[in-house]
Protein backbone atom coordinates (compact mmCIF):
# COMPACT_ATOMS: atom_id res chain seq x y z
CA UNK A 1 0.00 0.00 0.00
CA UNK A 2 1.26 3.42 -0.92
CA UNK A 3 2.16 5.68 1.91
CA UNK A 4 -0.47 8.42 2.06
CA UNK A 5 1.88 11.32 2.41
CA UNK A 6 2.33 14.50 0.46
CA UNK A 7 6.04 13.77 0.53
CA UNK A 8 5.58 10.50 -1.36
CA UNK A 9 6.95 11.15 -4.91
CA UNK A 10 4.47 8.75 -6.55
CA UNK A 11 1.49 10.37 -4.83
CA UNK A 12 2.74 13.77 -5.89
CA UNK A 13 3.09 12.61 -9.50
CA UNK A 14 -0.44 11.15 -9.53
CA UNK A 15 -1.87 14.37 -8.09
CA UNK A 16 0.03 16.41 -10.69
CA UNK A 17 -1.34 14.20 -13.49
CA UNK A 18 -4.89 14.54 -12.13
CA UNK A 19 -4.48 18.31 -12.04
CA UNK A 20 -3.20 18.35 -15.63
CA UNK A 21 -6.15 16.20 -16.71
CA UNK A 22 -8.63 18.58 -15.06
CA UNK A 23 -6.99 21.60 -16.70
CA UNK A 24 -7.05 19.86 -20.07
CA UNK A 25 -10.75 19.06 -19.67
CA UNK A 26 -11.49 22.71 -18.82
CA UNK A 27 -9.48 23.84 -21.85
CA UNK A 28 -11.38 21.45 -24.11
CA UNK A 29 -14.68 22.73 -22.75
CA UNK A 30 -13.65 26.33 -23.47
CA UNK A 31 -12.49 25.40 -26.98
CA UNK A 32 -15.78 23.58 -27.58
CA UNK A 33 -17.73 26.70 -26.57
CA UNK A 34 -15.58 28.87 -28.86
CA UNK A 35 -16.14 26.43 -31.71
CA UNK A 36 -19.91 26.48 -31.19
CA UNK A 37 -19.88 30.28 -31.13
CA UNK A 38 -17.79 30.39 -34.33
CA UNK A 39 -20.12 27.96 -36.10
CA UNK A 40 -23.14 29.97 -35.02
CA UNK A 41 -21.64 33.23 -36.29
CA UNK A 42 -20.50 32.00 -39.71
CA UNK A 43 -23.83 30.25 -40.30
CA UNK A 44 -25.99 33.17 -39.15
CA UNK A 45 -24.49 36.52 -40.12
CA UNK A 46 -25.82 37.69 -43.54
CA UNK A 47 -22.50 37.66 -45.38
CA UNK A 48 -19.73 35.34 -46.50
CA UNK A 49 -16.37 35.43 -44.71
CA UNK A 50 -13.30 34.34 -46.63
CA UNK A 51 -9.53 33.89 -46.76
CA UNK A 52 -8.13 34.54 -50.23
CA UNK A 53 -4.70 34.23 -51.84
CA UNK A 54 -3.50 35.79 -55.08
CA UNK A 55 -0.19 34.91 -56.74
CA UNK A 56 1.88 37.32 -58.89
CA UNK A 57 0.99 35.33 -62.02
CA UNK A 58 -2.72 36.15 -61.38
CA UNK A 59 -3.61 32.72 -60.02
CA UNK A 60 -6.01 32.95 -57.07
CA UNK A 61 -7.61 30.67 -54.51
CA UNK A 62 -10.09 30.79 -51.67
CA UNK A 63 -8.50 28.78 -48.87
CA UNK A 64 -11.65 29.36 -46.82
CA UNK A 65 -15.15 30.71 -47.42
CA UNK A 66 -18.04 30.44 -44.99
CA UNK A 67 -21.23 28.45 -45.74
CA UNK A 68 -23.27 31.64 -46.25
CA UNK A 69 -21.65 31.87 -49.68
CA UNK A 70 -24.34 29.51 -50.99
CA UNK A 71 -27.06 32.14 -50.42
CA UNK A 72 -25.07 34.65 -52.46
CA UNK A 73 -23.48 32.55 -55.22
CA UNK A 74 -25.70 29.43 -55.24
CA UNK A 75 -22.54 27.36 -54.80
CA UNK A 76 -21.27 25.28 -51.90
CA UNK A 77 -18.16 26.48 -50.06
CA UNK A 78 -16.19 23.39 -51.10
CA UNK A 79 -16.97 24.05 -54.77
CA UNK A 80 -15.69 27.64 -54.55
CA UNK A 81 -12.52 26.58 -52.70
CA UNK A 82 -11.85 23.97 -55.40
CA UNK A 83 -12.22 26.53 -58.20
CA UNK A 84 -12.15 30.27 -57.46
CA UNK A 85 -12.66 31.07 -61.14
CA UNK A 86 -16.29 30.03 -60.85
CA UNK A 87 -16.84 33.33 -59.03
CA UNK A 88 -14.73 35.36 -61.46
CA UNK A 89 -16.82 33.95 -64.30
CA UNK A 90 -20.04 35.18 -62.66
CA UNK A 91 -18.94 38.82 -62.81
CA UNK A 92 -20.50 40.71 -65.72
CA UNK A 93 -17.89 41.61 -68.38
CA UNK A 94 -18.35 45.38 -67.88
CA UNK A 95 -17.24 45.03 -64.22
CA UNK A 96 -14.65 42.26 -64.51
CA UNK A 97 -11.69 44.31 -65.72
CA UNK A 98 -12.26 46.95 -63.04
CA UNK A 99 -12.40 44.22 -60.38
CA UNK A 100 -9.14 42.67 -61.59
CA UNK A 101 -7.38 46.04 -61.61
CA UNK A 102 -8.49 46.85 -58.06
CA UNK A 103 -7.52 43.37 -56.88
CA UNK A 104 -4.04 43.67 -58.40
CA UNK A 105 -3.49 47.22 -57.10
CA UNK A 106 -4.55 46.29 -53.55
CA UNK A 107 -2.23 43.27 -53.52
CA UNK A 108 0.72 45.30 -54.74
CA UNK A 109 0.16 48.09 -52.21
CA UNK A 110 -1.00 45.74 -49.41
CA UNK A 111 -3.87 48.14 -48.72
CA UNK A 112 -7.56 47.52 -48.12
CA UNK A 113 -9.38 46.12 -51.12
CA UNK A 114 -13.02 47.04 -51.76
CA UNK A 115 -15.18 46.79 -54.85
CA UNK A 116 -18.83 46.51 -55.86
CA UNK A 117 -19.60 44.42 -58.92
CA UNK A 118 -22.55 42.79 -60.65
CA UNK A 119 -22.78 39.02 -60.95
CA UNK A 120 -25.11 36.58 -62.68
CA UNK A 121 -25.64 33.33 -60.79
CA UNK A 122 -26.16 29.93 -62.41
CA UNK A 123 -29.94 30.34 -62.03
CA UNK A 124 -29.76 33.58 -64.01
CA UNK A 125 -30.29 35.94 -61.06
CA UNK A 126 -28.56 39.31 -61.32
CA UNK A 127 -27.01 40.57 -58.08
CA UNK A 128 -24.75 43.30 -56.77
CA UNK A 129 -22.04 42.16 -54.34
CA UNK A 130 -19.55 44.13 -52.26
CA UNK A 131 -16.14 42.61 -51.54
CA UNK A 132 -13.89 43.99 -48.79
CA UNK A 133 -10.62 42.50 -47.51
CA UNK A 134 -7.33 43.27 -45.79
CA UNK A 135 -4.01 41.40 -45.78
CA UNK A 136 -3.49 39.41 -42.58
CA UNK A 137 -0.22 38.65 -40.82
CA UNK A 138 -0.30 35.04 -42.06
CA UNK A 139 0.81 33.62 -45.39
CA UNK A 140 -0.06 30.67 -47.62
CA UNK A 141 2.52 29.33 -50.07
CA UNK A 142 4.61 32.46 -49.35
CA UNK A 143 1.71 34.75 -50.31
CA UNK A 144 -0.34 37.06 -48.10
CA UNK A 145 -3.66 35.73 -46.91
CA UNK A 146 -6.39 38.32 -47.49
CA UNK A 147 -9.26 38.00 -45.02
CA UNK A 148 -12.51 39.60 -45.99
CA UNK A 149 -16.26 39.68 -46.28
CA UNK A 150 -18.71 39.47 -49.19
CA UNK A 151 -22.09 41.20 -48.90
CA UNK A 152 -25.14 40.96 -51.13
CA UNK A 153 -25.96 44.65 -51.69
CA UNK A 154 -28.55 44.12 -54.43
CA UNK A 155 -31.40 45.82 -52.56
CA UNK A 156 -29.23 48.86 -51.79
CA UNK A 157 -28.06 49.24 -55.39
CA UNK A 158 -31.59 48.80 -56.75
CA UNK A 159 -32.84 51.50 -54.37
CA UNK A 160 -30.02 53.81 -55.52
CA UNK A 161 -30.87 53.17 -59.17
CA UNK A 162 -34.56 53.87 -58.54
CA UNK A 163 -33.65 57.08 -56.69
CA UNK A 164 -31.46 58.20 -59.60
CA UNK A 165 -34.23 57.40 -62.08
CA UNK A 166 -36.81 59.42 -60.15
CA UNK A 167 -34.36 62.30 -59.73
CA UNK A 168 -33.69 62.31 -63.46
CA UNK A 169 -37.41 62.36 -64.20
CA UNK A 170 -37.93 65.21 -61.75
CA UNK A 171 -35.13 67.25 -63.28
CA UNK A 172 -36.58 66.67 -66.75
CA UNK A 173 -40.05 67.69 -65.57
CA UNK A 174 -38.69 70.87 -63.97
CA UNK A 175 -36.88 71.74 -67.18
CA UNK A 176 -40.13 71.29 -69.11
CA UNK A 177 -41.99 73.50 -66.63
CA UNK A 178 -39.42 76.25 -67.08
CA UNK A 179 -39.90 76.05 -70.84
CA UNK A 180 -43.68 76.14 -70.49
CA UNK A 181 -43.47 79.17 -68.19
CA UNK A 182 -41.76 81.01 -70.98
CA UNK A 183 -44.53 80.37 -73.52
CA UNK A 184 -47.69 79.89 -71.42
CA UNK A 185 -49.21 82.63 -69.22
CA UNK A 186 -49.31 81.26 -65.65
CA UNK A 187 -50.62 83.26 -62.69
CA UNK A 188 -47.84 83.60 -60.13
CA UNK A 189 -50.44 83.76 -57.33
CA UNK A 190 -53.01 81.03 -58.09
CA UNK A 191 -50.85 79.04 -60.52
CA UNK A 192 -53.67 78.90 -63.08
CA UNK A 193 -53.05 78.95 -66.81
CA UNK A 194 -54.79 81.37 -69.19
CA UNK A 195 -56.08 79.75 -72.36
CA UNK A 196 -56.37 81.30 -75.82
CA UNK A 197 -59.85 82.60 -75.00
CA UNK A 198 -58.64 84.45 -71.91
CA UNK A 199 -60.06 82.08 -69.31
CA UNK A 200 -57.98 80.88 -66.35
CA UNK A 201 -57.84 77.10 -65.87
CA UNK A 202 -56.18 74.73 -63.44
CA UNK A 203 -52.87 73.39 -64.75
CA UNK A 204 -54.20 69.80 -64.72
CA UNK A 205 -57.26 70.76 -66.76
CA UNK A 206 -55.19 72.79 -69.20
Amino acid sequence: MLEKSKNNPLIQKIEALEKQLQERQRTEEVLHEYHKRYERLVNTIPCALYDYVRWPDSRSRFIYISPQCKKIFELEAETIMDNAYLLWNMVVPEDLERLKQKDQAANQAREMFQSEVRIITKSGRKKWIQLTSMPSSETFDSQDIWSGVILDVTHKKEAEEERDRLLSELQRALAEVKILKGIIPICSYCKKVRDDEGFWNQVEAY
Side-chain angles (χ1 to χ4, degrees):
M1 182 178 291
L2 292 174
E3 180 185 350
K4 293 184 179 181
S5 171
K6 292 184 179 180
N7 296 325
N8 187 310
L10 186 55
I11 295 294
Q12 291 176 347
K13 187 173 182 179
I14 292 173
E15 290 177 346
L17 288 172
E18 289 178 343
K19 185 177 180 180
Q20 289 178 6
L21 180 60
Q22 291 173 355
E23 290 176 351
R24 181 175 178 179
Q25 288 176 337
R26 285 195 293 268
T27 301
E28 288 177 350
E29 289 173 359
V30 171
L31 288 174
H32 181 66
E33 286 301 315
Y34 275 121
H35 181 73
K36 284 174 59 179
R37 184 181 303 170
Y38 167 79
E39 290 291 330
R40 176 177 56 80
L41 286 172
V42 298
N43 286 289
T44 305
I45 55 177
C47 64
L49 306 176
Y50 68 91
D51 282 335
Y52 173 80
V53 178
R54 184 183 189 279
W55 284 268
D57 60 2
S58 297
R59 287 182 298 121
S60 61
R61 177 181 175 184
F62 286 92
I63 58 176
Y64 172 79
I65 188 165
S66 64
Q68 289 287 63
C69 65
K70 187 175 182 180
K71 292 184 178 180
I72 300 174
F73 300 108
E74 301 174 7
L75 293 173
E76 298 288 350
E78 292 77 11
T79 303
I80 295 172
M81 286 188 284
D82 286 341
N83 187 359
Y85 294 97
L86 291 173
L87 299 194
W88 287 103
N89 292 336
M90 286 186 187
V91 180
V92 300
E94 295 86 352
D95 296 349
L96 184 57
E97 188 59 34
R98 172 170 53 84
L99 177 61
K100 288 182 177 180
Q101 290 176 356
K102 284 191 173 184
D103 183 42
Q104 182 178 8
N107 273 266
Q108 291 177 346
R110 299 193 80 255
E111 296 177 347
M112 186 179 77
F113 163 79
Q114 186 171 80
S115 184
E116 291 183 349
V117 296
R118 293 165 293 175
I119 63 170
I120 300 177
T121 66
K122 62 180 182 180
S123 68
R125 290 190 62 191
K126 294 181 180 180
K127 295 182 178 180
W128 276 94
I129 61 169
Q130 182 186 83
L131 304 98
T132 306
S133 64
M134 287 285 289
S136 69
S137 58
E138 299 182 19
T139 60
F140 177 86
D141 193 20
S142 302
Q143 302 302 316
D144 292 332
I145 296 176
W146 288 69
S147 298
V149 60
I150 301 173
L151 295 168
D152 183 343
V153 293
T154 305
H155 292 312
K156 186 193 80 168
K157 299 298 289 188
E158 288 177 346
E160 290 176 354
E161 290 172 355
E162 179 65 10
R163 179 202 62 195
D164 293 342
R165 185 186 67 80
L166 292 174
L167 182 60
S168 178
E169 289 183 359
L170 177 60
Q171 290 173 336
R172 185 169 60 251
L174 289 173
E176 291 174 356
V177 168
K178 288 181 180 179
I179 293 173
L180 289 173
K181 279 186 176 181
I183 60 176
I184 298 176
I186 300 177
C187 177
S188 61
Y189 178 74
C190 66
K191 306 303 180 184
K192 290 183 178 181
V193 179
R194 189 180 64 205
D195 60 24
D196 295 337
E197 297 178 357
F199 295 101
W200 292 94
N201 302 288
Q202 294 290 340
V203 173
E204 294 82 2
Y206 183 83

